[in-house]
């Protein structure tokens, strides 16, 4: 039996989402659209025990799977900002432990989704990170194998710059925005699903971010001098995401730096989580 695997999981910054709650966590999820970023989380899983990790999700997912493992985590971004990192760590640990035990990965992914839903930290992040897709569209809510994910065609050589401007707990954010998501957010998501193109993604995601109060005049003001080479931008919770051509990354990065906006640069991940045998 393999003793050690490395799981690479893309980050997911949702751009628009409509929560769909049911009495079953497998069918609970969100419809909407988001961007998958690489490099993402790296989760190293070894046979053994001691898999607690930085979030309570890890022992919960291993317990549900009836597996024990020793798990190490790293990521280029912080927890709690809006990169879907709790989902990435939970999915990575579940996939790694299941791969070591020779169990089906879809069962691991579904269990990670259930844990995210029950902890109140994610609805659509696990399915997005499991399947990948660059700019993914969740057309049917739920866990991997239950929900359905489509993709938005986008320009070649697309890159993303991100900036963290604050942190907020997902579960309290979902409660705080419940009415806004159900009313104005739902209309924007529906409009996007009628015409799921890159241009409407850029336009509606920015509008959604403004309606939810993530993209404030203060944040937009700070990047206004560097907007010329950007395709567009949106914000989710405390993360600002700028989409642009790979060739423009350096110049925009320097411009934002001059404005005091520190950014990280990412590629879009077309693949979902990958389990590598060591
Ligand atoms: N330093 C930290 N800052 C914020 N959350 C932390 C930190 N360390 C551990 N946590 C835990 O990480 C989890 C963060 O989950 P949360 O869903 O809010 O963020 P995320 O997954 O990084 O982003 P997203 O909003 O995209 O899901 C919570 O369970 C929280 O208790
Ligand atoms: C609920 C959520 C916004 C938390 O990151 C995300 O899981 C999503 O898009 O469903």
């Amino acid at each position: 039996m393999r003793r050690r695997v490395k799981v690479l999981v893309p980050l997911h910054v949702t751009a628009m989402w409509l929560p769909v709650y049911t009495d079953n966590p497998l069918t609970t999820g969100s419809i909407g659209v988001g961007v998958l970023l690489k490099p993402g989380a790296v989760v190293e899983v070894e046979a053994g025990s001691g898999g607690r990790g930085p979030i309570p999700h890890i022992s919960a997912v291993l317990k549900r799977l009836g597996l024990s493992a020793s798990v190490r985590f790293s990521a280029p971004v912080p927890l709690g900002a809006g990169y879907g990192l709790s989902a990435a760590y939970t999915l990575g640990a579940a996939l790694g432990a299941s791969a070591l035990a020779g169990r089906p990965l879809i069962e691991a992914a579904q269990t990670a989704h259930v844990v995210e839903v029950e902890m109140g930290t994610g609805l659509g992040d696990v399915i997005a990170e499991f399947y990948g897709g660059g700019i993914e569209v969740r057309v049917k809510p739920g866990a991997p194998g239950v929900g359905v994910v489509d993709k938005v065609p986008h320009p070649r050589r697309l890159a993303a710059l991100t900036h963290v401007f604050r942190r907020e707990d997902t579960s309290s954010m979902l409660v705080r925005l419940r009415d806004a998501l159900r009313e104005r957010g739902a209309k924007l998501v529906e409009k996007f699903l009628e015409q799921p193109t890159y241009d409407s993604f850029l336009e509606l995601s920015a509008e959604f971010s403004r309606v939810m109060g993530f993209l404030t005049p203060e944040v937009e003001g700070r990047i206004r001098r560097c907007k010329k080479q950007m395709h567009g931008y949106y914000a989710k919770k405390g993360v600002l995401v700028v989409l642009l051509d790979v060739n423009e990354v350096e110049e925009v990065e320097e411009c934002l730096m001059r404005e005091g906006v520190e950014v990280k640069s990412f590629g879009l991940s077309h693949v979902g989580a990958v389990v590598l045998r060591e």
Side-chain angles (χ1 to χ4, degrees):
M1 196 173 74
R2 290 280 149 194
R3 307 300 296 163
R4 193 185 159 108
V5 291
K6 186 184 265 190
V7 191
L8 308 179
V9 190
L11 303 168
H12 176 241
V13 189
T14 199
M16 285 187 268
W17 79 94
L18 175 63
V20 178
Y21 296 104
T22 70
D23 53 11
N24 180 351
L26 287 171
T27 49
T28 292
S30 64
I31 55 171
V33 56
V35 168
L36 290 145
L37 302 176
K38 62 175 183 190
V42 179
V43 183
E44 290 175 275
V45 188
E46 267 184 88
S49 57
R52 220 166 282 131
I55 45 174
H57 304 54
I58 306 307
S59 37
V61 82
L62 294 176
K63 189 167 170 213
R64 269 184 181 274
L65 287 166
L67 296 171
S68 61
S70 157
V71 195
R72 286 214 306 269
F73 303 86
S74 62
V77 296
L79 273 161
Y83 289 98
L85 187 56
S86 59
Y89 281 166
T90 309
L91 180 61
L95 293 175
S98 292
L100 286 173
R103 295 249 296 261
L105 296 187
I106 188 79
E107 175 201 17
Q110 291 187 341
T111 310
H113 174 86
V114 167
V115 168
E116 271 275 284
V117 168
E118 289 187 345
M119 297 271 185
T121 48
L123 294 168
D125 293 323
V126 168
I127 191 169
E129 292 169 1
F130 186 59
Y131 290 119
I135 301 178
E136 61 75 35
V137 190
R138 282 153 282 133
V139 294
K140 183 178 169 218
V146 176
V148 175
V149 179
D150 194 5
K151 302 169 194 181
V152 179
H154 63 73
R156 273 181 79 195
R157 302 178 55 76
L158 190 60
L161 294 175
T162 72
H163 166 69
V164 175
F165 54 90
R166 72 181 175 95
R167 289 196 195 175
E168 183 182 1
D169 190 53
T170 296
S171 46
S172 47
M173 180 264 296
L174 289 173
V175 173
R176 183 173 65 79
L177 294 178
R178 199 177 50 202
D179 293 343
L181 287 167
R182 258 199 241 141
E183 289 151 24
R184 297 176 71 191
K187 287 204 181 76
L188 294 170
V189 171
E190 276 156 25
K191 193 169 168 191
F192 172 73
L193 293 176
E194 276 162 26
Q195 196 181 50
T197 65
Y198 184 61
D199 290 339
S200 87
F201 162 74
L202 292 175
E203 183 198 321
L204 296 171
S205 298
E207 200 177 330
F208 186 98
S209 314
R210 288 185 194 107
V211 165
M212 296 304 149
F214 302 139
L215 203 51
T216 58
E218 198 266 327
V219 173
E220 288 197 79
R222 288 175 67 194
I223 62 172
R224 108 178 162 270
R225 287 202 185 87
C226 314
K227 268 166 64 171
K228 218 171 57 218
Q229 294 105 320
M230 296 176 185
H231 291 175
Y233 54 85
Y234 68 93
K236 144 71 193 313
K237 232 166 72 162
V239 183
L240 172 73
V241 178
V242 172
L243 277 312
L244 73 176
D245 190 282
V246 173
N247 294 329
E248 311 285 3
V249 163
E250 220 170 291
E251 206 171 313
V252 176
E253 224 167 10
E254 278 167 20
C255 178
L256 289 170
M257 198 74 88
R258 282 196 298 276
E259 300 299 310
V261 179
E262 199 189 309
V263 288
K264 279 202 160 66
S265 122
F266 293 91
L268 265 67
S269 182
H270 291 96
V271 295
V274 178
V275 183
L276 302 168
R277 301 187 338 186
E278 293 277 89

